[in-house]
Amino acid sequence: MQKKQCRGCGQEKGLDEFYKEKLGKFGRRSNCIECYNSKLSEAYYADHEKSKASAVKHSRAWRANNAEASRSVSRRNQIRHAKEIRQAVLKLLGEHCQLCREDDLRVLHIDHVHGGGCQARKESSSLDIWKSILIQPDGYRVLCANCNHLTRLAEIAPPKTKSAVYSQKHRLKLRLAATAKLGDCCAKCKNKNSNLFCIDHLFGNGRADRARFVNENQFFKDVVDNPWKYQLLCHNCNWIKRHERREVRQ
């Protein structure tokens, strides 16, 4: 491994411990990363207020001249910050489903123990909710996508009118016909719990495709007529696929 002597500390270090410099020896700076950062830090804090004002000035000028790149950097920072907060919340609540012990982070959801999660997400962003959990974690738990879905199903009130009962039975009949056409089991993990089935678009773009249909009954009929476009996945496998295809909203 090629090495270079640092002009600051005098030690010989590998080239990966030096910042790149086009005109430098071996294409690297003369000072190692540690010495270079230490030197910059000393210069910055020698006159903190002046350095801070200069940094703000140059930062504003760069953002004004590079609007698109600035938005891209800002978006990446927001995504990274959101991931860090979510990971901190999961670590605080336990990094596994509290019902089935599933520990794949891609399928874990933060659940409101006493319900009201949908309303809370309408009133506040996920990031604000996660930050509030770090302060007061009581009333929250971690569930996998499968257990979270089963919990929601258990909370749904039964239909009260005859027409609503008929509509529910008719919808269930069409759904069962669609899932039977697709094999009645998850295409990935072979889970056969029909309450966990998601009808997944094999080629993606499911949200836009579903918009073609007036209601879900028409969608189920299309599945029966064109099963080659779809597959059955449980909620956990569906979330894993969304992460693999980078379809998860940030």
Side-chain angles (χ1 to χ4, degrees):
M1 180 179 179
Q2 198 169 24
K3 293 188 176 182
K4 178 176 180 176
Q5 186 176 18
C6 171
R7 186 175 294 179
C9 61
Q11 299 180 18
E12 283 194 351
K13 299 183 178 182
L15 295 183
D16 58 345
E17 296 189 52
F18 293 81
Y19 285 126
K20 291 182 179 180
E21 175 63 62
K22 187 175 181 180
L23 300 179
K25 187 177 180 181
F26 305 124
R28 303 286 170 163
R29 289 185 178 274
S30 57
N31 289 344
C32 66
I33 293 176
E34 185 178 352
C35 292
Y36 182 78
N37 288 343
S38 176
K39 185 177 180 181
L40 283 183
S41 181
E42 289 177 4
Y44 182 85
Y45 286 104
D47 192 342
H48 186 220
E49 292 301 323
K50 183 178 179 180
S51 299
K52 186 176 180 180
S54 177
V56 170
K57 178 182 177 181
H58 288 294
S59 177
R60 288 176 177 171
W62 182 84
R63 287 198 298 270
N65 296 326
N66 303 272
E68 187 175 345
S70 177
R71 285 193 294 269
S72 178
V73 170
S74 178
R75 180 59 178 158
R76 287 200 302 270
N77 289 338
Q78 289 173 355
I79 292 173
R80 185 184 70 251
H81 178 61
K83 286 182 178 179
E84 290 173 351
I85 296 295
R86 182 177 183 272
Q87 289 172 356
V89 171
L90 290 176
K91 188 173 182 179
L92 177 64
L93 298 178
E95 296 175 304
H96 59 263
C97 174
Q98 295 184 13
L99 296 182
C100 71
R101 315 300 291 181
E102 173 65 56
D103 59 359
D104 189 328
L105 297 180
R106 294 173 296 180
V107 306
L108 296 184
H109 293 182
I110 298 167
D111 176 61
H112 293 67
V113 175
H114 306 296
C118 290
Q119 184 61 34
R121 283 187 288 272
K122 289 179 182 179
E123 297 173 354
S124 305
S125 67
S126 295
L127 185 59
D128 288 337
I129 294 174
W130 296 341
K131 289 179 178 179
S132 68
I133 295 174
L134 292 176
I135 300 172
Q136 181 54 262
D138 294 341
Y140 300 92
R141 62 180 174 178
V142 174
L143 296 180
C144 70
N146 280 347
C147 291
N148 195 27
H149 182 69
L150 291 176
T151 301
R152 289 201 301 270
L153 288 180
E155 295 173 351
I156 297 176
K160 296 181 179 180
T161 64
K162 288 184 178 181
S163 61
V165 171
Y166 173 80
S167 296
Q168 186 185 63
K169 287 183 177 180
H170 182 60
R171 176 187 171 279
L172 180 60
K173 180 181 178 180
L174 293 176
R175 184 177 188 275
L176 290 175
T179 56
K181 194 75 173 179
L182 297 177
D184 267 339
C185 73
C186 175
K188 299 296 183 182
C189 68
K190 307 305 178 184
N191 191 320
K192 294 186 177 182
N193 186 341
S194 61
N195 288 324
L196 295 176
F197 291 158
C198 297
I199 298 177
D200 174 65
H201 290 67
L202 272 170
F203 310 109
N205 203 30
R207 190 185 301 274
D209 186 63
R210 281 176 179 259
R212 297 188 296 114
F213 305 104
V214 175
N215 53 46
E216 203 168 22
N217 291 347
Q218 288 189 359
F219 170 67
F220 292 144
K221 291 177 182 179
D222 187 68
V223 175
V224 174
D225 294 337
N226 303 285
W228 57 272
K229 296 195 304 183
Y230 306 97
Q231 66 178 347
L232 277 185
L233 295 177
C234 68
H235 281 265
N236 280 358
C237 291
N238 194 28
W239 271 94
I240 290 173
K241 181 192 172 187
R242 291 176 66 186
H243 277 276
E244 290 174 346
R245 293 173 63 93
R246 299 189 177 183
E247 297 173 345
V248 179
R249 293 183 182 181
Q250 301 292 349

